[in-house]
Amino acid sequence: MIDLWPRLEPLLARVERPARYLDHEWGSTRKEGADFNYCMVYPDTYELGQPNQAVRILVNAVNATEHLAAERAFLPAVDLIDLMRDEGIPMFSLESCAPLSEFDVIGITLPHELAATNVLEVLDLSGLPLRAVDRAQDDPIVLGGGPCVFNPEPYAPFFDAMLIGEGEESLPEALLCVRECRRAGATRQDILRSLAALPGCYVPSLYRVRGEEEAQRAGSWVEPLEPGVPEHIEKRLFSGFSESSGWEPCIVPYTECVHDRLSVEVLRGCARGCRFCQAGMMYRPVRERTPDQIVSAVMGGLEDTGYDEVSLTSLSTTDHSCCSQILARLNRRLADTGIRVSIPSQRLDSFGVDMALQVAGEKKGGLTFAPEAGSQRLRDVINKNVTEEDLERATRAAFEAGWRRVKLYFMMGLPGERDEDIVAIANLADKTYELARDVVPKAQRG
């Protein structure tokens, strides 16, 4: 593959944060000896994409598969994009600085709806036709994945195929399928037919989108165009999650990222059923890693990376059946090291004084609680089963245990929202602040 680095390097002195575009971070790898190359693209800047756990998990899964090699790519910032267009430099991978158009398959994750236009920027900057129907036989197969492909039609024209659900197993399967088809001399359309036969793989070009009235009569929006194409596609689940190691080899960036810490996934899925939560529905059922797996992953990850903070990640970490045991074990292992254990967001109804002390370890940073709505009426509407009393109890426990900063998450624009629900957000925040002032003596407020 072409090495674009000699052309790219002179541009880096003219852009902000050139470290975004440097390879050879601690922990990065470039697999040798593979005959099929895949590029995993996060459609936003390095600072946002590099901490994404899906990128790390999927790149590792592909590199662990015989014949397959994976590299990463992130959408450059606007200043470099402008220079690249002026100089005729296409979008490149990070590990080998090769043009994306030279890879066998490009995978683009869709982490949220606002990234949709960035997908088009990725394709255009790579020199590839935006619409799948316009791509040539030798162009890379463009795969989509991530949360947004659960509602695929808005993005369907731009992807050759979409992998719906968890990708630890489905992505290597899809890449091996394309590899075998290419080695057999299959046409692009035959490759897509082979992909459509894989569980969880949606190939938009093999379906017709029905009109609204027809869809209501038929009970579905799409109709297969060929015999043998599945009418319904079920999401893929990684059945081996509970038995898998919690440690995924990770990269330590040169530059600061949005989540600059070690992340260990402790459970997947959520049983709460909040009506606003897309992820809570997508990643069901709940699957837990064992305390032994989690503690081992944390200790191994800290040793390999040198981080001074570890985050136990999931949709609902304090719902782990052994959360208290895990925190107690980690605090014992990390005593006198200065390393902090953090949990992204604490449940108001499962967070007491004992849990607060265990999360703190040796350092007390900030805590995050998520009431989501300001009024109890709206919390009931969205099935957020916490009360104002829960927030008061959790706040009091936190400040009595030594915290001096608490962050509250709220959402605006929920269905059924009224003006008084917005006013209630400010009122609840004020009430929480006053409670904290009452709990903490004036001399200790800092």
Side-chain angles (χ1 to χ4, degrees):
M1 292 192 287
I2 298 172
D3 183 0
L4 294 172
W5 182 249
R7 298 173 60 192
L8 179 68
E9 184 181 15
L11 304 183
L12 299 188
R14 300 163 60 185
V15 300
E16 293 183 355
R17 300 194 177 187
R20 291 167 167 164
Y21 312 109
L22 301 179
D23 181 26
H24 294 90
E25 310 109 306
W26 179 264
S28 66
T29 60
R30 184 178 176 187
K31 184 176 177 181
E32 302 291 343
D35 59 13
F36 193 86
N37 295 297
Y38 168 74
C39 191
M40 179 81 197
V41 181
Y42 189 93
D44 215 317
T45 58
Y46 181 92
E47 292 91 329
L48 293 174
Q50 178 52 40
N52 183 271
Q53 282 189 295
V55 172
R56 181 175 74 182
I57 289 169
L58 296 179
V59 167
N60 287 339
V62 173
N63 277 330
T65 305
E66 188 180 6
H67 306 302
L68 307 181
E71 299 188 23
R72 298 164 294 148
F74 305 92
L75 184 65
V78 174
D79 55 357
L80 183 57
I81 288 176
D82 290 342
L83 292 174
M84 289 168 62
R85 291 190 184 281
D86 291 342
E87 299 294 330
I89 299 175
M91 187 164 166
F92 54 91
S93 66
L94 203 59
E95 279 77 5
S96 63
C97 205
L100 261 62
S101 59
E102 294 195 4
F103 284 81
D104 297 293
V105 175
I106 298 170
I108 306 176
T109 183
L110 283 163
H112 52 77
E113 289 81 356
L114 294 178
T117 53
N118 286 356
V119 171
L120 304 185
E121 183 78 286
V122 167
L123 295 172
D124 187 57
L125 195 60
S126 301
L128 297 172
L130 297 185
R131 293 179 176 271
V133 69
D134 296 325
R135 292 179 194 136
Q137 170 70 18
D138 294 331
D139 283 336
I141 298 293
V142 180
L143 298 178
C148 289
V149 300
F150 277 76
N151 181 29
E153 291 311 319
Y155 322 99
F158 315 111
F159 289 94
D160 293 299
M162 295 177 166
L163 301 179
I164 298 174
E166 297 167 2
E168 284 98 331
E169 296 168 333
S170 65
L171 178 58
E173 286 176 14
L175 298 182
L176 289 173
C177 175
V178 177
R179 176 181 178 271
E180 292 305 312
C181 289
R182 284 259 166 90
R183 288 167 64 86
T187 65
R188 192 177 188 89
Q189 193 63 17
D190 285 339
I191 293 173
L192 298 181
R193 290 190 182 98
S194 296
L195 286 172
L198 299 178
C201 188
Y202 172 51
V203 179
S205 63
L206 299 180
Y207 295 82
R208 179 181 71 87
V209 179
R210 296 179 170 119
E212 185 171 354
E213 292 184 4
E214 184 184 0
Q216 289 178 346
R217 291 195 303 269
S220 66
W221 281 97
V222 295
E223 176 186 15
L225 292 174
E226 300 179 6
V229 177
E231 186 173 352
H232 301 286
I233 297 171
E234 295 186 4
K235 69 177 183 181
R236 289 290 296 271
L237 287 172
F238 177 36
S239 58
F241 177 84
S242 297
E243 293 74 39
S244 63
S245 169
W247 168 233
E248 284 281 348
C250 68
I251 290 167
V252 181
Y254 290 129
T255 186
E256 186 177 358
C257 294
V258 292
H259 297 297
D260 197 15
R261 62 183 75 93
L262 175 67
S263 296
V264 173
E265 189 179 14
V266 299
L267 68 84
R268 191 172 291 182
C270 180
R272 294 280 174 159
C274 299
R275 292 192 177 98
F276 61 85
C277 184
Q278 179 195 42
M281 302 299 173
M282 290 189 323
Y283 295 110
R284 289 182 174 183
V286 176
R287 291 148 287 163
E288 293 184 350
R289 286 188 167 122
T290 67
D292 287 346
Q293 290 170 319
I294 294 165
V295 172
S296 175
V298 169
M299 302 311 296
L302 291 172
E303 183 178 354
D304 281 2
T305 63
Y307 278 115
D308 62 1
E309 180 179 356
V310 57
S311 179
L312 305 181
T313 63
S314 75
L315 295 175
S316 52
T317 297
T318 50
D319 283 340
H320 192 291
S321 61
C322 299
C323 185
S324 181
Q325 177 193 149
I326 292 165
L327 291 171
R329 289 177 60 178
L330 287 176
N331 284 333
R332 287 196 300 270
R333 297 285 295 273
L334 299 175
D336 301 320
T337 64
I339 295 171
R340 183 169 74 234
V341 178
S342 65
I343 293 177
S345 179
Q346 283 75 35
R347 293 275 183 194
L348 295 178
D349 51 355
S350 62
F351 195 86
V353 175
D354 292 340
M355 190 71 76
L357 289 170
Q358 290 184 79
V359 171
E362 294 188 343
K363 296 182 179 180
K364 293 183 175 67
L367 291 180
T368 301
F369 298 132
E372 310 295 3
S375 69
Q376 190 60 48
R377 182 197 71 83
L378 193 53
R379 284 194 292 275
D380 291 341
V381 167
I382 64 175
N383 204 32
K384 184 72 176 182
N385 296 314
V386 297
T387 65
E388 193 167 314
E389 289 72 26
D390 291 326
L391 177 59
E392 291 178 7
R393 186 163 49 250
T395 302
R396 182 176 297 277
F399 279 90
E400 287 177 346
W403 273 272
R404 297 298 177 261
R405 187 172 72 252
V406 165
K407 180 166 57 178
L408 304 181
Y409 278 168
F410 295 96
M411 292 186 291
M412 298 173 65
L414 290 165
E417 183 180 82
R418 303 171 185 166
D419 288 346
E420 53 263 34
D421 299 312
I422 301 300
V423 174
I425 293 176
N427 292 338
L428 189 55
D430 286 341
K431 189 172 182 179
T432 303
Y433 177 65
E434 291 303 322
L435 174 63
R437 288 173 61 89
D438 291 339
V439 171
V440 181
K442 185 176 181 179
Q444 299 180 16
R445 290 176 191 168

